Amino acid sequence: CWMKVDLEDGSQVFVKFKDYGFFVPTDVAGKTVVVSGKAFVEEMSVDEQKHYAADAGATKEKLAKIATPKRTYRFEAEGVLIED
């Protein structure tokens, strides 16, 4: 229901799928993606960071290091195109 996308400037954008209406394959690393939707900047709480880090398989030690809110680029996707 979410993915992180690397931008050309080296930053990342956190993409959530609108209304959990669709999912993308987990093996899209290195592929080009085109997303349609709404982009915004948001502060991600410590709890939310830990939730997504745990979903991604972070260790207890890594989770313990998350201690401050983080300003993030966010995107609510209405659609995603994955190019081969």
Side-chain angles (χ1 to χ4, degrees):
C1 59
W2 62 271
M3 68 180 175
K4 290 182 182 178
V5 176
D6 294 330
L7 301 177
E8 290 180 2
D9 69 358
S11 60
Q12 279 189 330
V13 62
F14 185 87
V15 180
K16 288 179 71 172
F17 309 128
K18 186 173 182 171
D19 300 325
Y20 299 100
F22 60 94
F23 300 93
V24 297
T26 57
D27 62 349
V28 297
K31 295 189 179 186
T32 299
V33 297
V34 178
V35 292
S36 173
K38 177 183 163 189
F40 53 100
V41 177
E42 183 175 82
E43 187 170 278
M44 187 183 292
S45 71
V46 170
D47 288 341
E48 190 175 7
Q49 288 179 69
K50 287 184 177 186
H51 170 80
Y52 291 118
D55 279 357
T59 64
K60 289 182 182 181
E61 293 78 17
K62 187 168 186 174
L63 292 174
K65 291 180 181 179
I66 300 172
T68 58
K70 176 178 160 184
R71 188 174 171 99
T72 59
Y73 295 116
R74 306 286 294 255
F75 199 96
E76 182 181 49
E78 295 173 354
V80 176
L81 172 68
I82 301 168
E83 297 180 347
D84 283 328

